[in-house]
Amino acid sequence: MADPIPVPVGILRLPRGPDSSGSRGFSCNPRNFQNPHNSQNSQDFHNSQDVQNSRAELRARFLRLLSSARGRPARFSLWNGLELRAEFGAADVHTGAFQVDSLQTPLGIQGSALLRCGDVLEFSFPLE
Amino acid sequence: MAMRQTPLTCSGHTRPVVDLAFSGVTPYGYFLISACKDGKPMLRQGDTGDWIGTFLGHKGAVWGATLNTDATKAATAAADFTAKVWDAVSGDELITLAHKHIVKSVDFTQDSNYLLTGGQDKLLRIYDLSKPEAEPDVVSGHTSGIKKALWSSDDKQILSADDKTVRLWDRSTMTEVKSLNVAMSVSSMEYVPEGQILVITYGKTIAFHSAETLEQIKSFEAPATINSASLHPAKECLVAGGEDFKLYKYDYNTGEELESYKGHFGPIHCVRFSPDGELYASGSEDGTLRLWQTTVGKTYGLWKCVVPEEENAEAAKARTTLPGTAEEEIVAEEIASENSDTVYSSTPEVKA
């Protein structure tokens, strides 16, 4: 009589991955109870009104740039030396991905696609 | 013998994982750090694989990463010509140590006071972490880039590997004690303090040497090129992985292949046993880390042994608690397809 087929072990859940907000983590760490003063000082600097105003203005400019790129033919340079042409669509809120249309690939034209921003070194589009 | 097991897949890196290290056992459990070509090493809870944080600051691929014994500090070696020391509790960068070339390896002494680094400039450097601005002690002698450098013999000696040699150095005199020529390029090296064993991999060979004399104790041949191997703390078995994407487990005494697992979608670059020997972690070209059980079928961490009579109830409960995020769903699908119908299947039959 052969050995019984071993019962596979179930898993309770998958390991939790990095925060989708893009933060570097360490905050939910029960070991992290040190230096409340230090973190408060750097917090004050980063939240000062002047800094906030500058950030808001830069963010607004960036968003206007992205919206002006919409619909235009863009060229993306990827980290592995690849250059792709596509029609720029949109970026997600964390600029984690670009949505593009009519992506020209060696296999043909992809109607709609997502490009991972971590792979994109730079992209350009004509202003007119 | 091909067996089946459901590894815990840790995603998050966007490039190949090239190195990983466990801390010792701490009051908070044990921890795992992964070095990745994406330049963002991550800290994870060792027994579950849960992400804790990412060390941000390197400007190039991170080739080596390590934790000190109590997981309060981390050190990383990168292609941006620096090694960095981090606070592993807060994630803050503490010290940046500039080098003249790519840094490949970092190792803390047991008291965490000194850091050993080695890299492409062929020099071993010893930094006093209480005086990071001071010039490090430098040990020269390697004729090709250093791939791995480790403290040994209670931090009184140093073991270092380059492409073709493994060398033993005395720390106090900073001179070479012994040198071993290796037939092929050394792919990995692990030092096991209890028993003073050095585990080296090259080609398809997994070799065990005395860390004191560098004499070979024994060696095994694997079916494929091996990139990394790790010896179980109790020295009953060892695990290895390499270019054929598979994990192999061997009996250390007999050399018999006990188990093998498919799962990764790319070559395996590093494998390490946890400090309690209950699981081992593998890092791959596919950008994931996977945690595997040493004894398949045990309840440990996120693995729960399912007894046949309870299985239907457990399976129903597990299905409803499956995480809902897209990324995790894709990984769950991938796990299900690798192991086909076994994860939530009905009671297995006993065959006569």
Side-chain angles (χ1 to χ4, degrees):
Chain A
M1 184 160 141
D3 287 340
I5 297 166
V7 179
V9 192
I11 53 173
L12 297 174
R13 59 168 173 82
L14 293 170
R16 277 182 227 116
D19 227 313
S20 54
S21 74
S23 94
R24 71 171 191 182
F26 294 100
S27 47
C28 304
N29 192 348
R31 305 191 299 160
N32 193 2
F33 47 74
Q34 298 156 338
N35 295 333
H37 287 301
N38 280 354
S39 56
Q40 195 51 47
N41 283 340
S42 62
Q43 282 253 323
D44 287 345
F45 169 77
H46 286 298
N47 292 341
S48 78
Q49 201 48 44
D50 288 341
V51 173
Q52 261 312 97
N53 290 345
S54 308
R55 284 165 130 196
E57 214 212 294
L58 287 169
R59 178 78 178 162
R61 277 165 71 174
F62 177 63
L63 292 174
R64 265 181 253 128
L65 173 83
L66 288 184
S67 63
S68 69
R70 187 176 179 72
R72 293 189 196 276
R75 190 178 51 93
F76 297 85
S77 295
L78 303 191
W79 75 283
N80 53 354
L82 213 57
E83 274 204 14
L84 294 176
R85 287 176 188 279
E87 196 185 287
F88 190 86
D92 71 354
V93 66
H94 301 298
T95 333
F98 290 133
Q99 181 270 319
V100 296
D101 296 315
S102 309
L103 175 70
Q104 292 171 30
T105 79
L107 294 175
I109 298 182
Q110 182 69 28
S112 169
L114 283 179
L115 293 178
R116 204 165 53 173
C117 286
D119 294 337
V120 176
L121 293 175
E122 51 106 15
F123 81 100
S124 59
F125 59 93
L127 290 172
E128 267 142 18
Chain B
M1 188 218 306
M3 277 187 58
R4 283 173 145 165
Q5 100 156 267
T6 314
L8 297 171
T9 300
C10 308
S11 51
H13 282 303
T14 54
R15 294 273 186 274
V17 176
V18 290
D19 193 21
L20 58 90
F22 280 98
S23 70
V25 178
T26 81
Y28 299 93
Y30 56 88
F31 299 84
L32 169 61
I33 187 171
S34 50
C36 182
K37 287 189 183 179
D38 63 11
K40 300 187 187 134
M42 290 186 184
L43 184 72
R44 292 180 183 268
Q45 192 69 42
D47 61 338
T48 59
D50 287 338
W51 175 79
I52 294 173
T54 303
F55 298 102
L56 299 176
H58 273 301
K59 297 188 180 67
V62 177
W63 286 101
T66 191
L67 291 166
N68 66 352
T69 315
D70 62 1
T72 51
K73 290 207 169 69
T76 50
D80 61 5
F81 293 16
T82 70
K84 287 182 191 274
V85 178
W86 312 79
D87 178 324
V89 178
S90 65
D92 292 336
E93 186 183 313
L94 297 173
I95 308 169
T96 295
L97 303 164
H99 288 62
K100 302 272 191 318
H101 209 313
I102 295 170
V103 194
K104 287 293 198 89
S105 179
V106 272
D107 197 25
F108 285 105
T109 49
Q110 285 163 86
D111 59 11
S112 309
N113 288 336
Y114 293 86
L115 187 74
L116 172 67
T117 70
Q120 294 290 84
D121 65 358
K122 308 175 198 159
L123 301 172
L124 292 162
R125 288 185 164 78
I126 299 166
Y127 289 89
D128 179 348
L129 297 179
S130 62
K131 300 183 214 115
E133 305 292 311
E135 285 300 309
D137 287 338
V138 178
V139 181
S140 57
H142 275 285
T143 53
S144 62
I146 294 166
K147 294 177 164 190
K148 197 85 181 178
L150 300 169
W151 293 106
S152 68
S153 298
D154 235 23
D155 303 334
K156 292 199 277 292
Q157 290 183 313
I158 292 166
L159 285 158
S160 56
D162 64 17
D163 212 31
K164 291 280 166 48
T165 67
V166 173
R167 297 173 199 236
L168 180 66
W169 311 81
D170 178 83
R171 183 208 182 154
S172 47
T173 60
M174 311 253 287
T175 54
E176 188 182 296
V177 171
K178 259 210 146 222
S179 175
L180 171 75
N181 288 329
V182 183
M184 277 170 279
S185 184
V186 176
S187 45
S188 80
M189 189 168 78
E190 179 188 65
Y191 169 66
V192 183
E194 306 84 14
Q196 292 273 47
I197 299 173
L198 185 62
V199 184
I200 319 171
T201 57
Y202 49 92
K204 296 183 184 176
T205 307
I206 306 155
F208 301 87
H209 290 246
S210 155
E212 291 164 306
T213 64
L214 298 188
E215 300 281 307
Q216 187 181 91
I217 301 168
K218 60 173 89 177
S219 75
F220 306 134
E221 292 294 299
T225 302
I226 295 296
N227 293 328
S228 179
S230 183
L231 184 59
H232 187 275
K235 299 180 200 50
E236 294 155 355
C237 59
L238 63 125
V239 287
E243 293 294 306
D244 67 355
F245 310 2
K246 286 159 94 163
L247 259 298
Y248 294 96
K249 186 182 184 195
Y250 294 91
D251 181 303
Y252 178 61
N253 295 308
T254 65
E256 183 198 339
E257 186 190 304
L258 299 170
E259 297 159 30
S260 71
Y261 298 105
K262 291 197 280 195
H264 278 293
F265 295 103
I268 291 162
H269 291 305
C270 42
V271 273
R272 280 287 176 271
F273 265 107
S274 62
D276 63 0
E278 295 285 350
L279 59 81
Y280 46 99
S282 57
S284 165
E285 183 80 7
D286 67 11
T288 67
L289 277 106
R290 282 171 207 239
L291 304 180
W292 309 81
Q293 284 193 289
T294 303
T295 307
V296 183
K298 243 176 134 166
T299 293
Y300 183 83
L302 298 179
W303 288 287
K304 181 141 192 298
C305 180
V306 178
V307 176
E309 307 85 62
E310 296 170 11
E311 188 174 342
N312 288 331
E314 289 289 352
K317 201 163 57 162
R319 255 182 242 119
T320 57
T321 58
L322 258 185
T325 66
E327 193 185 53
E328 285 168 316
E329 267 166 12
I330 290 164
V331 177
E333 252 185 312
E334 165 210 292
I335 287 174
S337 62
E338 284 161 33
N339 292 294
S340 65
D341 58 344
T342 58
V343 180
Y344 303 119
S345 65
S346 53
T347 327
E349 296 166 283
V350 173
K351 291 189 174 159

